[in-house]
Amino acid sequence: MTKSETVDVALLLLSVSAVLSLSVTNSVLVTWVALEWLAFICLLSFVSPKISLITGFLNSAVTGILGEESRYWLWILAIALNLIAIVETFPFLFS
């Protein structure tokens, strides 16, 4: 297995586990880590979509659905995921 294939597998496994953990967890820490990881993947897809299969897929999906100029939605999505993580981590601040 080459280094790029190892990076692809690692990023894919971490991304899938982050999405799955959001649906089954009751822990604030796990929710925060999963949302931060997904935000990082969005930023990585915006900066360098050719770094791995998952970043290329995310970039292609957003570009295909929303058009060529829509890559800017990736960093906006990353900011939104960070805001969701803050609200989930500190709910007493927003109640």
Side-chain angles (χ1 to χ4, degrees):
M1 190 180 253
T2 64
K3 185 177 180 181
S4 66
E5 290 173 341
T6 305
V7 169
D8 281 340
V9 169
L11 288 177
L12 182 64
L13 288 175
L14 286 170
S15 299
V16 168
S17 64
V19 169
L20 290 176
S21 69
L22 284 174
S23 65
V24 297
T25 188
N26 289 330
S27 170
V28 173
L29 179 65
V30 173
T31 302
W32 183 80
V33 169
L35 287 171
E36 290 299 321
W37 174 255
L38 294 174
F40 174 71
I41 290 294
C42 288
L43 286 178
L44 201 59
S45 298
F46 177 73
V47 173
S48 178
K50 297 191 187 317
I51 201 166
S52 76
L53 291 175
I54 192 79
T55 57
F57 170 75
L58 187 58
N59 184 48
S60 297
V62 168
T63 303
I65 292 171
L66 301 174
E68 275 304 312
E69 300 280 328
S70 63
R71 286 192 64 239
Y72 296 105
W73 283 101
L74 288 169
W75 67 267
I76 293 170
L77 178 62
I79 291 171
L81 287 170
N82 279 314
L83 291 175
I84 292 169
I86 290 170
V87 169
E88 288 292 321
T89 306
F90 305 107
F92 57 87
L93 294 177
F94 301 98
S95 55

